[in-house]
Amino acid sequence: MATKNKKNKSLPKKYRLYYYGFWIIFVFGLLGGFGLFYSASTGLLGEMPDFRQLENPNTNLASQIISSDNRVLGKIHFGENRTPVEYSDLPKHLIDALIATEDERFYGHSGIDFKATVRAIIYLNKKGGASTISQQLARQLFVGVRSKNIFEAISQKAKEWVLAVRLEKQYTKEEIITMYLNIYDFGYNGDGIQSASSIYFDKELDSLKIEESAVLVGMLKNSSLYNPMRRPELVKSRRNVVFGQMKKNNHLNDRQLDSLKQLPLEINYTPQSHREGLATYFRAYLQKFMKGWTKENTKEDGSKYNLYLDGLKIYTTINYEMQQYAEESVKEHMANLQREFFKQNTLNLNPTAPFLEIEEEEEEMIFKRAMRRSERWRKMRNSGKSEEEMFASFEKEVPMTIFSWEGNIDTIMKPIDSIRYYKHFMRVGMMSMEPQTGHVKAWVGGINYKHFQYDHVKQGKRQIGSTFKPFLYATAIDQLKLSPCDSLPDAIYCIEPNKYGNPEPWCPTNSSDKYGGMRTLKNALANSKNTISAQLMDKVGPKPVADLARNLGIESFIPNVPAIALGTPDLSVYEMVGAYGAFANQGIYVKPTMITRIEDKNGVLLYQSVPETKDVISAESAYVTVNLLEGVTKFGSGARLRHNIPEEERNPVYRDVVTGYPYSFENAIAGKTGTTQNQSDGWFMGMVPNLVTGVWVGAEDRSVHFESIAYGQGATMALPIWGMYMKKCYENEDLGISLEDFLAPEELNIPIDCEIIKPLENINSDADDIKGLGL
């Protein structure tokens, strides 16, 4: 010992200083590191999760809206759009890419990669970081965003290390990978790997290609920086880095690496915000429904379900592909229709464009109402602005983004001018339903939810025109046992005053103002002859007709007056489709259903729908009514559905005014067009045995409409959407849309073969001598 001390003392003084300094730093560093991690583990550096939190980390889950064919239509989320997946759902190439890029020695460490840590310290992170997947998960779950303060950052890092070790003890490697990918925020509401796959590629995980997996793994470094929508070239470069790491770790060979690097970056951006994506109007309706449901239903512990955080699974009746076909058909036809409307309603041709037949005072009232209903008005009112200031603000130019069928336009415009611009646009409502079950298969409430949020399926109600006439005819058939072959004179007919509460005589005329001869009921309905409707109304009375409509699920007000025969009530597409469904379902009304069941995040059943049905009319009367409606598509306003016009003969500007689309339907179709006064509303209700679809088209204001009946009738405005939609549905044979005839009842005593001439019975004394003539 004496020798050793003597040897130390023999060291030069400056070396002795380095010698003791090294050991002092080493010992204090060791003690400091131990103290740091001890403080982190015991919570002295801030709250740490306990065992139960590690067992059940608090990850918020968005509620999923799932189609009838088990595809995610969208999410109901507030801030987080997360859909959890299992490890077995993850493609192997995704896992390989993740480990090769983020944590090469993942399976060989227990939460901390000491080799990577030493490398990061020596090279100051220039040759890769040191955070393992377990550490990154710990930061995501419990630590949060890295602080810019050096001391807080060191404290956070210590917590990550401690938590990473705990996570490794608590979970298997597979569970850690799954948790990490489920919780990562990929941007654009892409919370978790499943949401990211849907948003950036419109795919389920098991359908991802290796190059798509590499893009998502590349985003894990920094999803804001490596964003495919903002920096595609940078994302492609990062993707190729991932390929390089996969090659380094023997998941790819040289040939595969070279081939994959040459692939273009292909992103299929499918947003999942409330205002974008598929079935936006339906999802908006469903969100309101679910908010009501969560208020009325509680968990076992008495607490309320949280629509945004509890990960509910809402299974709907909407068919994903049919919804796509519906939206595609609406877009194709409405863009065409809008171009023609703009062409016909310029300020040169019409000084009050887009309004027709309107006084200056009425136009001013329309704009004032529109201003008061606007979001701009609401915000200014809440900020305490006076009415004078609010009106003045609509006259000042401001930057804005406006809708067009060619894409959104960034412009500078006065808000009052934007109101006029939007008044030009035709709106649409469309719903498709399976009549036997009431399952709604497609729901399109407008042309663009982001810019036009008013839903024209259930929320909007408009005058329905001649599409109401089948309720009148069905009442007459059910009460009087009339046949489609029975005929009445085509002459102006007046219902005397005060007979049904009308103070004046009611004498409706035909739109063509042409009369004469006899018309079978089938011919009369096919051509929407109001003179025949007046006679039928006088024979059955308005109350039974209104009662039938109410029994068919129509909840809107229907007055007991004769004029309802011509479709004066304002009804919704939702009501009309449900009502028509009873005709296709042998007289049995089935209330439209949008949800089949609701489950919690663990698959526990919380709600299951029960069909609401009602026997309304006999199967015979329903079938005869359908037979009448088939005449519309064979001989009347719906006959263009049978057309097959060669491409070269079609109108290149607007292909469905005269020439028609080449629908070429040969199967059984029952339908009815409807057009209201001044062509303000165009309707088409169309049925095949297992699908009923209704379409309404019109502007927001009734004073905005086509001037001519050629463009403004239901056969031109609404029917083409039905035709395009059904063609798409039939091309997809997996949907099973019926091509067969409508099912006839076992007993059919009412003749429908119009070669049979039958005298009318049970009409009234004035028509006893009229004989039915065949069509």
Side-chain angles (χ1 to χ4, degrees):
M1 291 293 295
T3 305
K4 184 175 182 182
N5 291 337
K6 186 177 180 181
K7 193 173 186 179
N8 286 343
K9 288 178 181 179
S10 66
L11 288 171
K13 186 175 180 180
K14 63 176 181 178
Y15 290 116
R16 286 204 304 270
L17 184 62
Y18 293 147
Y19 178 81
Y20 290 119
F22 168 79
W23 284 106
I24 290 170
I25 292 172
F26 176 80
V27 171
F28 276 96
L30 195 63
L31 291 173
F34 175 80
L36 179 66
F37 289 108
Y38 177 80
S39 298
S41 65
T42 57
L44 294 176
L45 297 181
E47 184 180 357
M48 293 284 280
D50 60 20
F51 178 84
R52 287 171 297 178
Q53 285 177 283
L54 287 174
E55 186 68 36
N56 297 291
N58 182 25
T59 56
N60 299 331
L61 303 178
S63 293
Q64 299 180 70
I65 302 172
I66 302 170
S67 69
S68 61
D69 43 345
N70 288 314
R71 299 176 67 178
V72 177
L73 286 169
K75 313 282 183 63
I76 302 176
H77 56 85
F78 186 80
E80 293 192 55
N81 173 29
R82 198 179 315 284
T83 303
V85 297
E86 302 293 332
Y87 183 81
S88 58
D89 298 324
L90 302 173
K92 184 178 183 302
H93 51 68
L94 175 66
I95 298 169
D96 291 341
L98 170 65
I99 295 174
T101 307
E102 294 294 318
D103 193 351
E104 290 178 308
R105 285 173 289 279
F106 176 67
Y107 290 109
H109 63 67
S110 298
I112 301 172
D113 186 344
F114 290 102
K115 182 178 179 180
T117 302
V118 172
R119 180 195 64 206
I121 292 172
I122 294 173
Y123 293 102
L124 301 177
N125 275 343
K126 291 181 179 179
K127 292 192 176 182
S131 288
T132 64
I133 291 174
S134 305
Q135 287 174 257
Q136 293 179 51
L137 174 60
R139 181 167 65 249
Q140 293 280 338
L141 283 174
F142 305 113
V143 179
V145 179
R146 178 80 71 232
S147 174
K148 294 181 179 179
N149 182 291
I150 183 72
F151 297 106
E152 289 182 359
I154 292 172
S155 160
Q156 288 178 325
K157 194 66 179 178
K159 287 183 181 180
E160 285 177 22
W161 282 26
V162 172
L163 291 172
V165 174
R166 290 185 181 179
L167 286 170
E168 289 275 352
K169 289 181 179 179
Q170 190 70 28
Y171 296 102
T172 65
K173 293 287 187 178
E174 289 76 15
E175 288 172 331
I176 287 172
I177 287 175
T178 307
M179 290 170 66
Y180 176 57
L181 291 175
N182 273 332
I183 200 171
Y184 191 82
D185 180 4
F186 288 86
Y188 289 104
N189 289 318
D191 296 306
I193 192 70
Q194 177 59 71
S195 294
S197 177
S198 298
I199 289 169
Y200 294 114
F201 301 108
D202 192 23
K203 288 184 176 182
E204 295 296 316
L205 280 175
D206 58 6
S207 300
L208 283 179
K209 299 177 182 177
I210 187 171
E211 60 269 25
E212 294 165 340
S213 290
V215 168
L216 297 178
V217 168
M219 293 176 70
L220 294 171
K221 184 173 184 179
N222 185 329
S223 60
S224 179
L225 178 63
Y226 298 102
N227 186 308
M229 308 309 299
R230 296 176 183 173
R231 303 177 183 89
E233 290 304 316
L234 188 61
V235 170
K236 182 178 179 181
S237 175
R238 177 64 182 166
R239 181 202 68 178
N240 290 347
V241 169
V242 175
F243 289 148
Q245 287 297 113
M246 294 180 74
K247 163 64 172 60
K248 177 184 173 184
N249 286 270
N250 300 317
H251 298 304
L252 298 174
N253 56 38
D254 289 329
R255 183 180 58 81
Q256 291 171 322
L257 176 63
D258 292 339
S259 177
L260 288 169
K261 280 188 173 183
Q262 301 307 313
L263 292 176
L265 183 69
E266 294 184 351
I267 301 297
N268 184 8
Y269 180 56
T270 310
Q272 292 188 353
S273 71
H274 299 306
R275 298 186 176 189
E276 298 175 289
L278 195 68
T280 47
Y281 290 91
F282 173 74
R283 287 191 279 129
Y285 160 77
L286 194 63
Q287 185 164 347
K288 292 178 183 176
F289 172 87
M290 288 302 300
K291 285 181 178 179
W293 184 87
T294 55
K295 288 180 180 179
E296 297 174 2
N297 296 270
T298 59
K299 301 177 185 178
E300 291 183 357
D301 61 4
S303 63
K304 293 186 179 297
Y305 288 100
N306 190 313
L307 196 56
Y308 306 114
L309 307 179
D310 285 344
L312 300 179
K313 297 177 182 178
I314 307 160
Y315 290 88
T316 72
T317 60
I318 298 292
N319 180 279
Y320 195 97
E321 291 177 321
M322 293 173 75
Q323 180 68 32
Q324 281 187 316
Y325 299 154
E327 294 188 16
E328 289 169 2
S329 301
V330 163
K331 182 177 181 180
E332 184 175 347
H333 176 67
M334 294 302 292
N336 242 1
L337 189 69
Q338 193 62 53
R339 278 193 293 271
E340 187 60 37
F341 188 78
F342 277 130
K343 181 180 176 181
Q344 294 185 22
N345 284 270
T346 65
L347 288 173
N348 291 333
L349 298 174
N350 172 22
T352 62
F355 307 104
L356 291 171
E357 302 162 358
I358 194 171
E359 298 295 331
E360 186 177 338
E361 295 81 10
E362 187 179 353
E363 183 177 3
E364 184 179 349
M365 288 178 60
I366 288 174
F367 279 110
K368 283 187 174 180
R369 283 198 303 267
M371 285 187 276
R372 287 192 172 101
R373 289 198 303 262
S374 70
E375 184 70 9
R376 170 182 292 274
W377 184 279
R378 185 187 69 81
K379 288 181 178 179
M380 294 184 72
R381 183 186 59 201
N382 291 342
S383 66
K385 300 289 185 182
S386 68
E387 190 168 279
E388 184 179 349
E389 288 176 306
M390 290 189 283
F391 277 125
S393 74
F394 283 84
E395 300 291 341
K396 298 176 182 177
E397 290 189 340
V398 294
M400 64 175 68
T401 301
I402 60 174
F403 169 81
S404 83
W405 280 110
E406 285 70 41
N408 290 340
I409 300 172
D410 293 324
T411 185
I412 296 175
M413 182 183 286
K414 293 179 182 178
I416 191 67
D417 291 335
S418 72
I419 290 176
R420 181 181 291 276
Y421 172 73
Y422 280 128
K423 291 291 185 184
H424 280 84
F425 279 89
M426 294 286 113
R427 315 296 173 86
V428 66
M430 175 184 180
M431 188 177 111
S432 193
M433 184 192 80
E434 189 177 76
Q436 291 76 23
T437 63
H439 288 184
V440 175
K441 296 298 180 182
W443 176 308
V444 184
I447 56 176
N448 183 287
Y449 185 77
K450 187 173 182 179
H451 294 276
F452 307 91
Q453 294 178 26
Y454 191 79
D455 175 39
H456 288 285
V457 169
K458 203 168 193 292
Q459 188 178 8
K461 297 180 180 182
R462 293 293 287 260
Q463 207 171 67
I464 56 172
S466 293
T467 54
F468 191 88
K469 287 178 180 175
F471 304 139
L472 168 63
Y473 278 70
T475 303
I477 292 166
D478 207 40
Q479 289 188 0
L480 308 176
K481 304 304 177 185
L482 296 183
S483 161
C485 308
D486 292 334
S487 61
L488 293 171
D490 184 6
I492 294 179
Y493 184 93
C494 294
I495 295 181
E496 62 191 48
N498 299 317
K499 184 173 183 180
Y500 298 112
N502 276 8
E504 302 291 334
W506 186 63
C507 310
T509 58
N510 294 332
S511 59
S512 63
D513 288 327
K514 293 181 181 179
Y515 309 95
M518 304 292 292
R519 286 188 181 271
T520 63
L521 297 190
K522 181 174 284 190
N523 179 285
L525 184 61
N527 293 281
S528 267
K529 294 301 176 181
N530 295 334
T531 52
I532 308 300
S533 296
Q535 296 175 63
L536 293 177
M537 179 59 77
D538 198 20
K539 300 177 194 316
V540 298
K543 186 177 185 303
V545 178
D547 287 344
L548 174 65
R550 295 184 193 106
N551 285 328
L552 290 173
I554 292 175
E555 297 178 350
S556 300
F557 176 66
I558 302 177
N560 296 328
V561 297
I564 62 174
L566 306 187
T568 55
D570 287 354
L571 305 181
S572 68
V573 173
Y574 173 87
E575 291 173 304
M576 289 296 288
V577 171
Y580 267 64
F583 296 137
N585 192 34
Q586 298 186 304
I588 302 171
Y589 169 76
V590 184
K591 185 177 181 179
T593 301
M594 283 72 75
I595 300 174
T596 54
R597 70 185 190 278
I598 301 171
E599 296 178 355
D600 69 10
K601 64 182 179 182
N602 298 315
V604 176
L605 184 66
L606 304 177
Y607 165 85
Q608 188 154 19
S609 66
V610 177
E612 296 183 36
T613 65
K614 181 193 296 185
D615 287 347
V616 180
I617 57 175
S618 68
E620 181 182 49
S621 297
Y623 181 73
V624 174
T625 303
V626 168
N627 183 266
L628 283 169
L629 291 170
E630 286 187 85
V632 175
T633 67
K634 291 179 180 178
F635 317 113
S637 55
R640 69 180 63 194
L641 292 170
R642 311 293 183 181
H643 288 176
N644 184 6
I645 307 301
E647 180 74 32
E648 62 273 12
E649 295 180 23
R650 291 180 226 155
N651 188 319
V653 177
Y654 184 65
R655 294 176 291 171
D656 204 5
V657 176
V658 179
T659 60
Y661 280 83
Y663 304 117
S664 306
F665 294 123
E666 297 179 358
N667 56 293
I669 298 172
K672 187 71 190 81
T673 57
T675 308
T676 64
Q677 189 175 12
N678 295 326
Q679 301 83 244
S680 295
D681 306 276
W683 288 80
F684 183 70
M685 303 296 302
M687 302 186 291
V688 296
N690 65 351
L691 195 66
V692 178
T693 304
V695 183
W696 165 86
V697 174
E700 182 182 28
D701 296 272
R702 298 177 197 266
S703 53
V704 178
H705 56 81
F706 281 104
E707 192 167 15
S708 71
I709 190 71
Y711 286 84
Q713 63 180 309
T716 302
M717 290 211 294
L719 179 145
I721 294 175
W722 190 93
M724 286 186 279
Y725 168 68
M726 291 301 292
K727 275 191 74 71
K728 293 174 188 289
C729 287
Y730 278 126
E731 287 167 1
N732 185 345
E733 295 182 0
D734 293 337
L735 295 176
I737 306 301
S738 175
L739 287 166
E740 291 76 32
D741 292 337
F742 287 90
L743 184 64
E746 293 181 3
E747 293 187 13
L748 181 61
N749 298 314
I750 298 176
I752 60 172
D753 184 350
C754 288
E755 292 181 359
I756 299 174
I757 299 177
K758 168 185 171 294
L760 296 178
E761 298 176 357
N762 301 321
I763 303 297
N764 64 25
S765 57
D766 295 331
D768 283 343
D769 59 340
I770 298 175
K771 303 296 182 181
L773 300 176
L775 178 64

